[in-house]
Amino acid sequence: MPIGRLPLQRWQFYPERPQQAKELAENLHISPLLAQVLINRGIETLTQVKEFLEPETQFLPDPLDEFPDLGISVELLEKAIASQGKIAICGDYDADGMTSTALLLRSLRSLGADVDYAIPSRMTEGYGINCRIIEEFHTEGIQLILTVDNGISAFEPIQRARELGLQVIITDHHDIPPNLPPANAILNPKLIREPSPYRGIAGVGVAYILAVCLAQKLGKAKGLIKPMLELFTLGTIADLAPLTGVNRRWVKRGLQLLPYSQLAGIQALIQISGVAGSSNSNSGRAGFVVNASAAITELSAKPAPTTQNSLNPEDIGFRLGPRINAIGRISDPQIVIELLTTDDMGVALEKAMLCEEINLQRQRLCEEIEQEAIAWCEQSQIDLQQERVLVVVQPNWHHGVIGIVASRLVERYGVPVFIGTYEEEDKEKIRGSARGIPEFHVFEALLFCEDLLGKFGGHKAAGGFSLPAENLAEFRRRLSQFAHKLLQPEHLKPLLNIDVKAEVSDISLALYQQIQALQPCGIENSAPVFWMPNARIIEQEIVGKGHVKLTISQFNSPDKIKAIAWRWRDYFPLPNRVDIAYRLRENNFNGSKTVDLEILGIKPAKQISWQTFTVTNMPLKAEFYHNQKCYTCGLYPNDSFTELRIRNPEGKVLAVPLGKTIGLLGKTREDAVEVNVLQPPFSYLVEVAQIALERAKG
């Protein structure tokens, strides 16, 4: 069977600092591999390590000092509650927007507010508050509008609300447009100082801060903090917010709380999604008190229950989050709002089952559109080195899932992707999503094309847009022009940042458990990526929906290790000898825990030419493993030439003059037979012997 093509990637290695890693490892009693990872993250001293591993020891400034309009926002809400004025929340249909909406609904209702909500239709209206919603709120007698995860770019709708006499508080986290809307108050972390620990919060983080400060001002914070923190954790991870600063502090605690959640909706989601180790039992729950003196009310310093049932970000990112996001993408966001605000377990389970069914439908749609998009790219033979951006627009694609497909195309082609489809009711209009690469700023690219667009918004990594179909050709040309300003040809491959080399013999359950101290891992605090040279793939097969399951060994270890490469069917079968980049993952099967590899990248292993193999000193000896057997090899002088000798455990020797292709195989030279070392299995033995001897040379 012919070998498939390999993914195009650029591997970027952190500089090795072995002496510093060794000293840090000895001081902390950890693996030097983990010490190197900490150094790569800028964590180099014992004080920095303590603050990173125990984020609650860090100083947290008063958010009232950080957000200029936070005090005004609390006042406006306090007055509305006191006067029983009607409040309306305008949310968004992604996980961040829906968790933000649910968080504020639960908290405001518990504080006595008369509050309702609206979320614009993804299919007919697109992202963000609009004039229709404003007019509807006004008709319903709403006095105060509260946007969550949107509004910062909605100048006209906010202006209309103010003309109608409505008060508006914008809570958002998206990039700041040139002209801010005329709201009464704006809460956006992009408007505060860059070093602030609140700078990286998502929309749900802004909602959390506002809700907690309001509850504290009203003296009703007790009992509200934990459920709000759970919703904050769910939305922050699902929205791919950076897990640094205050996000790391609160998410770390929230992940410990989620398995013990008292929110019926979260219990139901955990149950339906089959998150491993989840538990709805109350046993072992620690007591919590509210620190009323803190400006931002948190759970007390008493740690949350530390159990094996604590969730990790992957549980949310790959299990809970997609089931929530699927609703906003192809169904009615009201399902999620009801799921996360109900206290009735029966209702919660019903809504969670709907999330499960709709997520399966979303997966099928993504797969179909992705394959159609790939087929279009291959047929059009677009020169991505020249264009430096990929713009794909086709009819009859579902608006709700093209953003996911855009992300997959970025992974595949390594360029910024703008993907769109025509509006069902108006084929002259296009609506789309964009995803970027590290060197490309999506929102700035959209600003560069502002005169061609209708509505648009986003941030550095992602965005959404609409435009008249007649502008498509110019939009494509303008994006390419913008990309040429930022991107060089070497940027046009998916980037993989690699921490440190770890071979099969380095991998253990103990190493995996040490690495867990880095959790929560995610954006801007990525899980460690290791690499392994000269890995040998001894088994491989396609499983599930196009995943490649592997068994890997190495010449210098008798051990084998299992691995999985998600959605790599296009690269099957892989070469037998490769360099791999991977993460560690725990595998629980029948009560037994092992460590497997999650393959992220693969390259052909460096070839050593047998004809030009050089020797600096002799005799030179080494060991390697093949089929669980230990072989010895060495280079020895023999009259006028140098000879490679490989001995198997049974005492048979393969002797080959350096640079020749015919060798002798036998227990003695007298009974030896000639063999061609370019043919298997001798070719593999000679190859790994060369690698082993190269290493022995140092």
Side-chain angles (χ1 to χ4, degrees):
M1 183 180 294
I3 300 299
R5 64 187 179 86
L6 295 180
L8 294 175
Q9 295 175 321
R10 49 188 169 122
W11 290 12
Q12 184 170 292
F13 295 85
Y14 283 94
E16 294 184 17
R17 292 158 72 177
Q19 186 57 39
Q20 187 178 358
K22 180 182 177 184
E23 293 172 2
L24 190 61
E26 289 173 350
N27 286 328
L28 294 172
H29 306 290
I30 60 173
S31 164
L33 297 175
L34 178 55
Q36 178 66 58
V37 172
L38 289 168
I39 292 168
N40 296 346
R41 304 292 183 272
I43 304 163
E44 304 182 16
T45 67
L46 295 180
T47 300
Q48 289 174 324
V49 170
K50 179 177 175 61
E51 289 182 350
F52 181 75
L53 299 181
E54 301 175 29
E56 289 189 18
T57 62
Q58 297 174 339
F59 169 72
L60 191 63
D62 188 335
L64 288 164
D65 294 333
E66 300 288 291
F67 292 86
D69 286 358
L70 181 54
I72 300 170
S73 302
V74 170
E75 265 185 46
L76 289 170
L77 287 168
E78 185 181 13
K79 288 178 180 176
I81 292 171
S83 65
Q84 279 298 289
K86 288 187 175 183
I87 301 171
I89 299 168
C90 181
D92 186 26
Y93 38 66
D94 69 357
D96 185 17
M98 290 187 287
T99 52
S100 301
T101 302
L103 187 156
L104 284 172
L105 274 174
R106 292 192 72 101
S107 58
L108 289 173
R109 284 171 178 170
S110 67
L111 295 172
D114 180 359
V115 58
D116 206 346
Y117 74 97
I119 295 177
S121 165
R122 178 190 285 268
M123 296 303 297
T124 61
E125 297 177 306
Y127 167 80
I129 193 167
N130 55 55
C131 289
R132 180 199 64 79
I133 292 175
I134 295 295
E135 300 288 350
E136 191 171 295
F137 282 164
H138 179 251
T139 302
E140 293 171 354
I142 299 299
Q143 297 176 16
L144 173 61
I145 297 173
L146 188 58
T147 74
V148 291
D149 193 33
N150 75 95
I152 198 66
S153 297
F155 189 94
E156 289 184 12
I158 303 304
Q159 186 177 52
R160 179 59 180 155
R162 298 305 308 280
E163 290 171 356
L164 293 171
L166 306 183
Q167 296 177 321
V168 182
I169 301 171
I170 292 174
T171 74
D172 201 351
H173 71 118
H174 293 96
D175 284 357
I176 306 301
N179 297 315
L180 288 174
N184 297 80
I186 299 177
L187 303 180
N188 188 316
K190 299 293 196 304
L191 289 170
I192 67 177
R193 61 188 181 93
E194 287 196 12
S196 172
Y198 303 106
R199 179 82 178 182
I201 58 175
V204 73
V206 185
Y208 176 71
I209 288 172
L210 176 59
V212 171
C213 286
L214 176 64
Q216 183 187 16
K217 180 75 180 295
L218 296 176
K220 297 180 180 180
K222 188 174 182 180
L224 283 181
I225 307 304
K226 187 167 66 171
M228 285 193 290
L229 185 58
E230 293 169 8
L231 292 171
F232 163 84
T233 302
L234 196 60
T236 296
I237 295 175
D239 197 58
L240 303 179
L243 294 185
T244 56
V246 76
N247 282 346
R248 176 172 173 79
R249 177 174 180 146
W250 292 340
V251 164
K252 189 177 180 73
R253 180 170 294 282
L255 287 169
Q256 294 171 328
L257 295 174
L258 281 170
Y260 304 93
S261 177
Q262 292 180 334
L263 294 180
I266 289 181
Q267 290 182 31
L269 268 181
I270 288 175
Q271 182 177 332
I272 295 299
S273 64
V275 171
S278 64
S279 170
N280 294 323
S281 168
N282 291 334
S283 61
R285 181 179 289 119
F288 298 98
V289 296
V290 175
N291 181 356
S293 64
I296 179 64
T297 308
E298 290 188 79
L299 297 170
S300 73
K302 184 175 181 179
T306 302
T307 78
Q308 293 182 343
N309 290 333
S310 179
L311 299 191
N312 60 49
E314 287 75 21
D315 292 322
I316 294 175
F318 294 102
R319 296 291 191 89
L320 307 186
R323 286 161 171 80
I324 291 175
N325 260 322
I327 298 296
R329 291 186 179 280
I330 62 175
S331 189
D332 184 355
Q334 184 175 344
I335 296 170
V336 171
I337 304 304
E338 292 177 358
L339 171 73
L340 297 178
T341 55
T342 186
D343 294 321
D344 185 319
M345 193 61 193
V347 172
L349 284 169
E350 177 189 341
K351 302 302 179 186
M353 282 299 298
L354 272 175
C355 291
E356 180 72 13
E357 294 169 9
I358 292 165
N359 188 49
L360 291 172
Q361 182 184 349
R362 188 272 308 169
Q363 289 174 338
R364 289 191 293 270
L365 280 170
C366 284
E367 182 70 18
E368 291 170 6
I369 295 172
E370 180 185 6
Q371 292 308 312
E372 290 177 15
I374 291 170
W376 181 89
C377 292
E378 302 299 329
Q379 291 167 9
S380 66
Q381 297 183 331
I382 184 171
D383 185 349
L384 293 176
Q385 287 288 318
Q386 175 59 37
E387 297 297 324
R388 301 190 187 177
V389 65
L390 175 59
V391 181
V392 186
V393 176
Q394 291 289 289
N396 304 319
W397 283 352
H398 197 293
H399 293 104
V401 300
I402 56 176
I404 299 174
V405 176
S407 296
R408 294 181 180 177
L409 295 178
V410 171
E411 292 175 9
R412 184 181 185 91
Y413 296 111
V415 299
V417 172
F418 291 73
I419 184 171
T421 190
Y422 299 93
E423 298 281 16
E424 288 185 8
E425 69 282 358
D426 186 353
K427 300 301 181 183
E428 297 303 312
K429 290 184 179 178
I430 294 168
R431 181 147 47 98
S433 293
R435 298 294 184 271
I437 63 175
E439 297 81 7
F440 187 91
H441 199 297
V442 169
F443 185 69
E444 289 181 0
L446 292 172
L447 279 175
F448 188 72
C449 305
E450 183 175 13
D451 59 306
L452 303 174
L453 301 176
K455 293 176 63 176
F456 68 93
H459 44 79
K460 184 177 189 297
F465 60 92
S466 64
L467 77 159
E470 63 186 11
N471 290 351
L472 177 58
E474 177 61 17
F475 181 56
R476 182 178 276 113
R477 189 198 67 78
R478 192 88 61 87
L479 286 173
S480 179
Q481 180 185 352
F482 181 83
H484 273 265
K485 294 180 179 180
L486 299 175
L487 305 178
Q488 298 303 316
E490 59 267 24
H491 295 144
L492 305 181
K493 293 179 183 177
L495 175 64
L496 193 56
N497 289 305
I498 297 177
D499 283 288
V500 64
K501 181 173 70 175
E503 304 195 19
V504 169
S505 57
D506 297 317
I507 298 168
S508 65
L509 192 58
L511 174 63
Y512 174 81
Q513 290 168 342
Q514 284 189 16
I515 287 171
Q516 292 308 100
L518 302 176
Q519 293 286 2
C521 292
I523 303 300
E524 294 186 21
N525 179 39
S526 58
V529 177
F530 302 101
W531 80 285
M532 182 187 300
N534 294 303
R536 185 184 174 213
I537 298 176
I538 56 179
E539 295 175 2
Q540 56 180 307
E541 62 176 323
I542 294 179
V543 298
K545 297 180 179 179
H547 314 308
V548 181
K549 184 179 178 182
L550 311 163
T551 302
I552 290 171
S553 68
Q554 246 183 330
F555 71 91
N556 59 342
S557 172
D559 300 324
K560 296 187 292 185
I561 194 164
K562 300 291 185 182
I564 188 75
W566 303 113
R567 304 176 67 250
W568 272 35
R569 65 182 166 201
D570 288 350
Y571 309 124
F572 181 86
L574 297 166
N576 290 332
R577 190 165 71 84
V578 290
D579 295 345
I580 59 172
Y582 61 92
R583 288 196 180 109
L584 300 183
R585 60 195 296 267
E586 187 181 76
N587 185 9
N588 292 296
F589 184 71
N590 288 339
S592 175
K593 291 184 179 180
T594 58
V595 178
D596 294 348
L597 311 183
E598 178 186 344
I599 304 296
L600 303 176
I602 192 166
K603 288 186 174 183
K606 181 181 178 182
Q607 298 294 326
I608 300 173
S609 173
W610 176 237
Q611 303 297 327
T612 59
F613 189 70
T614 58
V615 184
T616 55
N617 60 312
M618 287 187 298
L620 186 62
K621 300 179 181 179
E623 288 185 350
F624 65 89
Y625 287 84
H626 175 57
N627 290 339
Q628 306 294 296
K629 294 180 180 180
C630 182
Y631 289 72
T632 59
C633 61
L635 289 168
Y636 301 89
N638 189 348
D639 296 332
S640 61
F641 59 88
T642 300
E643 190 173 68
L644 169 67
R645 299 174 190 167
I646 304 171
R647 181 185 296 272
N648 71 13
E650 289 76 37
K652 271 192 174 182
V653 176
L654 173 64
V656 192
L658 197 63
K660 303 298 182 181
T661 60
I662 302 299
L664 294 175
L665 177 65
K667 289 192 174 181
T668 67
R669 289 188 182 272
E670 289 71 23
D671 67 2
V673 297
E674 288 189 348
V675 296
N676 185 339
V677 296
L678 297 182
Q679 300 297 320
F682 310 114
S683 57
Y684 174 77
L685 293 173
V686 169
E687 186 178 25
V688 294
Q690 291 176 76
I691 297 169
L693 291 169
E694 281 282 0
R695 293 198 172 200
K697 284 166 57 179

